[in-house]
Amino acid sequence: MQACSAVTGLRAAAPLPARARAQRRVVAEAATENGAAATATLDKKDRKPSPLQRGGTLQGAAAAGKDASDKFKAAAEGASSTSGPVLQMVEGRFSDFRWKGGRWDLSLFKGADGETDWDAVIDVEMARRKMLEDSPIPCTNEDPVLFDTAEIPWWAWVRRFHLPEAEKLNGRAAMMGYVLALFVDQLTGVGLLDQQESFIGKVLLHVCVFGILLVRTTTDLDKYKNLIDEATFYDKQWNATWEGQERPSDN
C-alpha cells in the first residue's frame, strides 16, 4: 500500500505534457481577459465623469461660463434648448421653428421674467439676413416676409448699439480733448479753463469731438479713402482716355 501511494504521488507530481500545458495557458489567458473586460465595464459604468468631460468643476447653469446666453445655460442644466430646426435653408427656403407665417413668433423669445428678449430677436434677424446674403433666394408671393425691424422697440436698438458706442466715443473724446488741452497749455501757457472760455478753445473742442465722431476706428479711414476714390473715378477714367492724344483747345 505504501508503495502504491508513493507511485501515485510520483505520478501526480510529474510534469504535464506540452499540449496540456498549452491548453491550460489558453484557458487561463481567456479567464484573465474576461475578468479584465468585466472589470473595465464595471469601472466605466461606475466611474464619474471628470471635470473636463462635464465642462469644468462648476455644475448647472454656472458651468456654461460667464455672460452665457439662455440657450447655453439651458443646455448646461440638461434642458433642451430648441424644439426644432434652427436657421437653415431647406429646398431653397429659409426654415426655423421660430419663423412662422413670414415673421418671428415673439412668444418663443420670452425671457425668464416673461418679457420678450429683444436682444435674441435682433440676433436671429441679423443671422437670417446674413444667411440670405450668403445664399440669396427669390421672393415669392406664397412665402412673403412680413417681419419688420420697426416692430422692435426703439429703446432696444439704443441699448444694444447706441449706448455702448456713445460710451466709447465719449471716452475717446475726453481723452483726446485732455491731451490736446495739455499740449496747448505746455505750448502757450494758457490753462484748461481759459481754453474753454476762449473762442479758439471752443473751436478746437468742437473739432476734436466731430473728428472723433467721423473717425471712430482705423477702418473708417479706409472707408473715406474708398469714397474719395469712387468720387474721382470717372475723372481719372476721362483723363486716361486722353493719354497720348492732343486735347482740343477750350477756346
Side-chain angles (χ1 to χ4, degrees):
M1 294 295 294
Q2 293 179 356
C4 292
S5 299
V7 172
T8 304
L10 290 174
R11 290 180 179 177
L16 296 175
R19 181 178 297 178
R21 290 198 302 271
Q23 292 178 352
R24 291 184 61 181
R25 186 181 302 109
V26 170
V27 172
E29 291 177 355
T32 303
E33 292 178 357
N34 292 336
T39 303
T41 303
L42 182 62
D43 292 343
K44 187 176 182 180
K45 290 181 179 179
D46 297 340
R47 187 179 303 162
K48 295 181 180 180
S50 64
L52 182 61
Q53 291 175 336
R54 64 174 184 264
T57 57
L58 300 177
Q59 301 292 333
K66 182 180 180 181
D67 298 332
S69 63
D70 295 336
K71 180 180 69 174
F72 289 103
K73 289 181 180 179
E77 291 177 347
S80 177
S81 58
T82 62
S83 59
V86 179
L87 295 175
Q88 62 179 354
M89 302 295 293
V90 179
E91 297 180 354
R93 292 186 177 184
F94 173 75
S95 177
D96 190 295
F97 78 97
R98 297 163 295 184
W99 184 261
K100 300 179 181 179
R103 62 190 314 108
W104 295 108
D105 188 355
L106 299 180
S107 62
L108 299 177
F109 292 91
K110 299 294 184 181
D113 55 356
E115 299 294 334
T116 303
D117 187 358
W118 294 111
D119 288 332
V121 177
I122 294 174
D123 289 338
V124 295
E125 178 62 14
M126 292 173 60
R128 184 185 74 87
R129 298 196 177 201
K130 178 60 177 176
M131 178 178 292
L132 296 180
E133 180 181 350
D134 296 337
S135 303
I137 60 176
C139 297
T140 60
N141 294 330
E142 292 78 11
D143 191 17
V145 177
L146 304 178
F147 180 77
D148 190 353
T149 54
E151 299 179 21
I152 301 176
W154 64 269
W155 54 264
W157 294 106
V158 171
R159 183 185 63 185
R160 177 67 179 273
F161 297 103
H162 298 286
L163 289 183
E165 189 71 11
E167 183 179 359
K168 180 175 64 176
L169 294 179
N170 287 337
R172 289 180 178 178
M175 290 185 292
M176 289 298 299
Y178 178 78
V179 171
L180 293 177
L182 183 62
F183 175 77
V184 173
D185 188 5
Q186 292 293 329
L187 186 64
T188 63
V190 179
L192 179 61
L193 183 60
D194 294 334
Q195 293 180 35
Q196 291 181 346
E197 292 180 350
S198 65
F199 175 77
I200 297 178
K202 293 180 180 179
V203 171
L204 295 178
L205 178 62
H206 284 79
V207 169
C208 177
V209 172
F210 285 106
I212 294 294
L213 292 176
L214 293 175
V215 184
R216 302 182 181 184
T217 60
T218 54
T219 56
D220 290 338
L221 297 176
D222 297 332
K223 179 181 65 177
Y224 292 125
K225 180 179 180 298
N226 294 334
L227 289 176
I228 295 174
D229 293 340
E230 185 177 353
T232 59
F233 174 76
Y234 294 105
D235 293 337
K236 295 178 181 178
Q237 190 178 27
W238 171 259
N239 293 329
T241 58
W242 290 100
E243 291 183 359
Q245 299 184 17
E246 184 179 356
R247 298 188 182 187
S249 176
D250 294 337
N251 298 327

